[in-house]
Amino acid sequence: MIKVARVLPESVASELEIVPGTTLRSVNGRKLDDFLDWEFLTADDELVLEATAPDGEELVFEIERPEGMPMGIVLEPPRVRRCANKCEFCFIEGLPAGLRSPLYVRDDDYRLSFAYGNFATLSNVKDRDIARILEYRLSPLYVSVHATPFEARKILLNNPKVPDVMRQLTQLADGGIQFHCQMVIVPGLNDGEILEQSFADLYSLGESVISTAIVPVGLTQFSHLYTGKSMNSARAGELLAQVERWEERALRERGDRWVFGSDELYLLAGRALPDADHYGDFVQIENGVGSVAHLRRRVSEGVSSLPRHDGRRIGVVTGVAMGGAMMAELLEQLEAATGASFEQIVAENSLFGPTTTAAGLLVGADITRVLAGRTDLDVALIPAETINDDGLFLDDLSFATLRGESPIPLIPSYDFLDVLSSEDLSSAPPQLQALGIA
Ligand code: SF4
């Protein structure tokens, strides 16, 4: 059952006077269970829609959609499928107590994997879901494989009932579905021989596995389930060597790298990050694979078109991982092009602890702390990834509050260019403007 949240103007739904709160029951006799049914079953231009108005009136619409006219219905958010696993390395297990409740929700939803690129383990996928994925051709899917050997995966996901992922992937691949896979590596659990077998199994699926990302386990000071060995520089180096052997093989045999180490893996191993060409189309950038190379490319390609900001003093707040030489190299380019002086302000993560170094996981309190008393700056850029769609940081502080209390302007930025391209340094990224956050 799905419900209408909003009706857009100049759409089929507005012409039919469908109102928010209406329950959409079926299309052409097919029951509507969720947004996927809605999206796929309303692809036709001629359809019969059965619905129930908020006052209980039963409605039947016979629709002939004019070419190009959208249905114009925004649905209420789907009920997210919960995760049945209890992974040793789960980020949610590593969250401190007392944060807002949605942060503790473990989703594992193949529908969101297709729609938004969220990784899903497919552990809760039943035969009817497989049939649905095949019918609607939900491809590519983003799959958290972690390990293909059955026994190793049960241990990793801490779930004795986990299905055999290779059986699932093979069935889906036979039906034309493709995948981007990830494996979070916990030393002693799924590295070494297990990883070698996992690479071999995924590689055997041919073109169906478009890419595979290898991500070192990340633990916060609150992680309490961990039973393996910690990831250190030597282990990260061994892992990277294994990744590179498979990269070379894939390049030789398939013409693309197929497997990528995450940025964090290179940093842990003390290795220089590859340049942007290494990552092709940056297919796993949301997974921290190639993010730094992408930012470097953005800056070097966009810097020449920036306006001058001579004499302006700009602070750039970042996390420990990106701070130091990597950030300095970017800021030098920006300084040369704009005439502004830049200062990197590196913040440690007070909520998750010093082992959590990503800029995107900084919280409002960290930003407040490192900028306290910095009235010598004209403006401070903060990582836009730290703010969610409701304008909140992970510690529930709101960006509006922080900005209101700050003695200097605070501007969220994804890539510097989004802010520095405006003459007066006042414009925030369009994504945040659209949400009314900045
Ligand atoms: S699959 Fe594992 S890591 Fe992902 S939400 Fe579930 S328990 Fe956490």
Side-chain angles (χ1 to χ4, degrees):
M1 187 180 80
I2 53 178
K3 261 192 182 182
V4 177
R6 277 192 303 131
V7 174
L8 303 178
E10 295 176 34
S11 65
V12 174
S14 69
E15 286 195 359
L16 295 173
E17 299 182 348
I18 292 175
V19 296
T22 300
T23 301
L24 305 172
R25 291 184 285 115
S26 72
V27 167
N28 294 339
R30 295 266 312 256
K31 193 165 155 274
L32 296 167
D33 279 329
D34 62 17
F35 67 96
L36 284 179
D37 290 331
W38 176 250
E39 195 167 312
F40 285 89
L41 298 178
T42 57
D44 290 344
D45 287 338
E46 287 186 23
L47 40 108
V48 177
L49 168 64
E50 292 183 295
T52 306
D55 64 5
E57 185 188 354
E58 305 275 299
L59 307 166
V60 179
F61 302 102
E62 291 188 14
I63 300 170
E64 273 186 45
R65 178 167 30 186
E67 203 181 323
M69 183 179 267
M71 285 302 291
I73 284 180
V74 178
L75 298 173
E76 288 187 354
R79 191 176 305 152
V80 171
R81 287 188 175 206
R82 302 297 170 98
C83 174
N85 309 314
K86 215 165 174 11
C87 302
E88 300 277 341
F89 51 82
C90 182
F91 183 74
I92 290 166
E93 288 294 331
L95 289 176
L99 302 179
R100 57 184 179 275
S101 53
L103 291 175
Y104 299 100
V105 172
R106 302 169 196 234
D107 69 274
D108 195 10
D109 196 324
Y110 71 90
R111 303 169 309 166
L112 305 186
S113 171
F114 170 71
Y116 304 113
N118 295 11
F119 277 93
T121 64
L122 308 184
S123 305
N124 53 9
V125 162
K126 308 280 185 254
D127 286 347
R128 65 176 176 278
D129 299 312
I130 297 272
R132 205 164 176 240
I133 292 169
L134 293 171
E135 183 193 351
Y136 291 159
R137 300 197 67 76
L138 304 184
S139 179
L141 291 176
Y142 290 76
V143 184
S144 286
V145 173
H146 302 321
T148 56
F150 194 28
E151 292 305 319
R153 196 164 191 259
K154 278 189 208 168
I155 294 169
L156 271 160
L157 300 187
N158 219 353
N159 179 0
K161 294 189 183 150
V162 76
D164 179 352
V165 74
M166 277 308 288
R167 194 182 64 78
Q168 291 178 310
L169 294 179
T170 303
Q171 193 179 354
L172 291 169
D174 288 346
I177 305 300
Q178 291 186 296
F179 318 100
H180 291 288
C181 298
Q182 74 159 348
M183 292 194 264
V184 173
I185 304 299
V186 182
L189 289 184
N190 60 340
D191 54 354
E193 287 301 309
I194 301 284
L195 180 59
E196 201 59 20
Q197 184 63 51
S198 301
F199 277 143
D201 286 341
L202 293 179
Y203 197 74
S204 75
L205 293 174
E207 301 292 318
S208 302
V209 176
I210 306 169
S211 74
T212 303
I214 300 301
V215 181
V217 66
L219 300 172
T220 78
Q221 63 183 352
F222 299 99
S223 301
H224 54 83
L225 274 173
Y226 184 62
T227 54
K229 305 170 197 163
S230 63
M231 184 62 76
N232 57 25
S233 178
R235 291 192 177 113
E238 285 165 22
L239 202 48
L240 208 41
Q242 201 170 353
V243 167
E244 285 168 343
R245 282 198 297 279
W246 279 92
E247 258 183 45
E248 280 162 24
R249 176 174 172 186
L251 264 177
R252 206 172 50 242
E253 294 177 358
R254 301 177 38 147
D256 70 63
R257 290 186 191 281
W258 182 73
V259 59
F260 300 91
S262 70
D263 291 3
E264 202 188 346
L265 186 59
Y266 283 90
L267 296 176
L268 274 169
R271 291 268 309 274
L273 287 158
D275 62 20
D277 293 340
H278 180 93
Y279 298 98
D281 295 332
F282 290 93
V283 288
Q284 293 235 18
I285 193 166
E286 300 293 334
N287 205 9
V289 175
S291 323
V292 176
H294 190 261
L295 180 62
R296 284 175 170 158
R297 177 186 272 178
R298 281 277 296 144
V299 169
S300 67
E301 289 179 355
V303 79
S304 59
S305 55
L306 290 176
R308 299 290 297 178
H309 296 294
D310 291 294
R312 308 299 297 276
R313 298 157 305 173
I314 302 172
V316 175
V317 177
T318 189
V320 172
M322 188 68 196
M326 274 196 303
M327 182 59 82
E329 174 200 311
L330 293 171
L331 298 186
E332 271 169 31
Q333 291 181 65
L334 295 170
E335 239 169 52
T338 65
S341 64
F342 288 83
E343 180 191 342
Q344 57 170 307
I345 301 171
V346 179
E348 280 203 2
N349 196 307
S350 60
L351 188 66
F352 299 116
T355 53
T356 303
T357 57
L361 293 175
L362 290 174
V363 298
D366 301 327
I367 293 167
T368 306
R369 185 181 68 252
V370 293
L371 290 177
R374 294 305 310 266
T375 48
D376 55 322
L377 298 168
D378 293 315
V379 62
L381 308 189
I382 65 172
E385 300 84 354
T386 53
I387 304 168
N388 76 0
D389 288 358
D390 296 322
L392 297 174
F393 296 97
L394 277 167
D395 59 357
D396 267 355
L397 272 171
S398 79
F399 173 64
T401 305
L402 235 68
R403 183 172 53 185
E405 292 173 353
S406 171
I408 55 167
L410 295 185
I411 319 268
S413 171
Y414 288 104
D415 61 9
F416 311 118
L417 306 179
D418 46 12
V419 175
L420 298 174
S421 55
S422 78
E423 300 277 347
D424 62 358
L425 295 178
S426 66
S427 71
Q431 301 92 312
L432 297 183
Q433 285 184 39
L435 292 168
I437 291 168

